[in-house]
Amino acid sequence: MPKAPTDLASELREQVKDKKSYLGVIDRLNKASVDKHWEAYADIPWDDPEFTVDKNDPRWVLPQFDRLGETDWYKSQPPEIQAQIGLWRVATAMKIGLQFENLLKRGLLNYAYRLPNGRPEFRYVYHETTEECHHGMMFQEFVNRTKMPIRGMPRSLNLIAQAAPWIPLVSTEMFFVFVLGGEDPIDYVQRKSLKGGHIKHPLEETIMKIHIAEEARHISFARHYLKHRVPNMAPLRRRILGVATPVVLGVMARIMLSPPGPMVRHFGIPKDVVRAAYKNDASQAEISNSVGKIRDLMAELDVVNPVNKRVWKAFGIWDEPGTRRPLDTPKAA
């Protein structure tokens, strides 16, 4: 089983001061992709009895920090229903993850298609695309084994989402903001879950550790790409990026962290329970904190200004750089 990643933490903090250091980061990421990678059907023991997915397994019960798991309504449900709701949440996160990564792969390939010969980004993009293919396979295999009617991304956003792969043809900087908008919130939740010891099932733990380890490289590349490119953007393009970024992050973080509508309907979760669990200051702080690293990066790159800061605040995801909102224990509904 892979260990939780720490080896790329320094790369996430590194400043790209010139082209030479930027190219050095790409070289190290390329080497890391060769030295340590996983394959969905070679490195996960799917047929191990310990990895069997049983929808009534108590190990799927929602962890303590989950807002729904703290409600009286959830605690009053039979143990098997609590387990099924928890499994539905996990499977939905994986389904949304593979849908997002499908869009990401198509966008990366559109970006790579136009790269001139000799550009080091080409090789890294293909490493990342290969890794994302394996992520999609392991996510879908997990969803299949739940035998639940998991849909993933809300239908209302499916059509709009199909435009994402074409963003690199308009703005590569905006595309990599989109990349971070999909990867950072789920990375935040997964790391928090592993650190808190909330993951009980070995299959979920294995998938999560593989995903975190390889996503560390993907996040690192996107951050360094933005550090390398944004300072040289034309003023108008920078202003557009500044307004679009909080819109993308505000929408995507909510998709990743909010309760899936099909689950609410399937289990008949009362609307007042959903409101009490997810429409409060603590839940909003969780969403804001999940995009904190991207927000700090945009501030570091001087993309945030008094005008677009209002957009960040309108989406409820603004905090001063370097700060995080306190997460109060949610009250039971």
Side-chain angles (χ1 to χ4, degrees):
M1 183 181 295
K3 295 181 180 180
T6 57
D7 57 325
L8 288 176
S10 60
E11 298 217 11
L12 291 170
R13 295 190 297 268
E14 183 180 350
Q15 298 293 321
V16 179
K17 297 178 181 178
D18 52 39
K19 186 175 181 179
K20 182 178 179 180
S21 60
Y22 168 68
L23 296 178
V25 168
I26 296 178
D27 286 342
R28 290 194 293 276
L29 292 175
N30 281 333
K31 185 177 186 302
S33 290
V34 172
D35 292 343
K36 195 62 176 176
H37 58 272
W38 291 267
E39 295 188 15
Y41 290 101
D43 297 309
I44 299 175
W46 295 101
D47 296 325
D48 187 328
E50 288 296 316
F51 281 50
T52 299
V53 177
D54 177 358
K55 67 179 181 180
N56 297 322
D57 190 328
R59 290 177 293 184
W60 299 122
V61 171
L62 291 173
Q64 288 296 318
F65 72 82
D66 190 280
R67 300 296 164 189
L68 180 61
E70 283 295 309
T71 65
D72 288 339
W73 179 89
Y74 181 78
K75 293 176 180 178
S76 70
Q77 300 303 303
E80 62 272 16
I81 297 300
Q82 292 187 29
Q84 290 172 30
I85 291 174
L87 178 57
W88 194 299
R89 287 294 304 275
V90 173
T92 296
M94 292 196 187
K95 186 70 176 182
I96 292 175
L98 75 89
Q99 290 169 332
F100 167 76
E101 290 182 350
N102 180 289
L103 301 170
L104 169 61
K105 290 191 289 284
R106 286 186 276 157
L108 285 172
L109 292 175
N110 276 336
Y111 165 64
Y113 187 87
R114 299 193 302 170
L115 286 175
N117 296 338
R119 284 285 290 272
E121 293 95 339
F122 181 93
R123 176 182 162 185
Y124 176 74
V125 164
Y126 270 75
H127 278 310
E128 180 169 339
T129 302
T130 301
E131 291 162 4
E132 297 291 16
C133 284
H134 283 284
H135 296 176
M137 286 188 283
M138 69 182 183
F139 287 164
Q140 186 61 58
E141 184 65 30
F142 180 92
V143 171
N144 292 346
R145 289 172 182 245
T146 70
K147 296 181 172 59
M148 289 178 160
I150 305 298
R151 283 216 309 261
M153 196 177 295
R155 285 180 177 175
S156 59
L157 290 175
N158 267 330
L159 184 60
I160 299 174
Q162 299 311 309
W166 302 104
I167 296 176
L169 304 183
V170 179
S171 170
T172 54
E173 296 84 5
M174 190 66 251
F175 175 71
F176 283 105
V177 167
F178 166 79
V179 169
L180 291 175
E183 291 180 340
D184 259 20
I186 194 64
D187 185 71
Y188 169 86
V189 171
Q190 289 181 338
R191 289 176 182 272
K192 182 177 178 180
S193 298
L194 283 176
K195 184 177 179 180
H198 302 300
I199 308 304
K200 306 299 183 184
H201 196 285
L203 177 56
E204 181 188 5
E205 182 181 17
T206 300
I207 290 174
M208 192 173 288
K209 285 185 175 180
I210 289 173
H211 189 248
I212 290 175
E214 294 189 327
E215 288 301 319
R217 295 195 286 260
H218 307 170
I219 290 171
S220 180
F221 177 76
R223 289 175 61 85
H224 284 100
Y225 183 88
L226 290 171
K227 287 180 180 181
H228 179 61
R229 294 275 301 204
V230 170
N232 298 317
M233 292 181 73
L236 177 59
R237 290 174 65 86
R238 179 190 287 263
R239 286 197 293 271
I240 294 172
L241 181 70
V243 173
T245 294
V247 176
V248 170
L249 299 183
V251 171
M252 295 191 70
R254 282 172 171 78
I255 292 173
M256 299 293 180
L257 303 183
S258 296
M263 183 192 77
V264 172
R265 294 187 290 273
H266 182 85
F267 292 101
I269 304 176
K271 292 181 179 180
D272 61 327
V273 172
V274 175
R275 283 195 296 269
Y278 295 102
K279 295 184 179 180
N280 53 55
D281 291 342
S283 181
Q284 187 60 58
E286 186 84 343
I287 292 172
S288 178
N289 289 346
S290 75
V291 299
K293 290 181 179 179
I294 321 172
R295 183 176 58 239
D296 292 350
L297 176 62
M298 292 297 105
E300 175 190 329
L301 296 175
D302 293 325
V303 174
V304 179
N305 60 42
V307 175
N308 63 49
K309 186 185 293 188
R310 297 176 184 175
V311 183
W312 289 87
K313 291 180 178 180
F315 278 90
I317 54 173
W318 175 255
D319 282 310
E320 291 302 321
T323 65
R324 298 290 184 272
R325 300 189 197 183
L327 299 176
D328 299 327
T329 301
K331 298 179 181 179

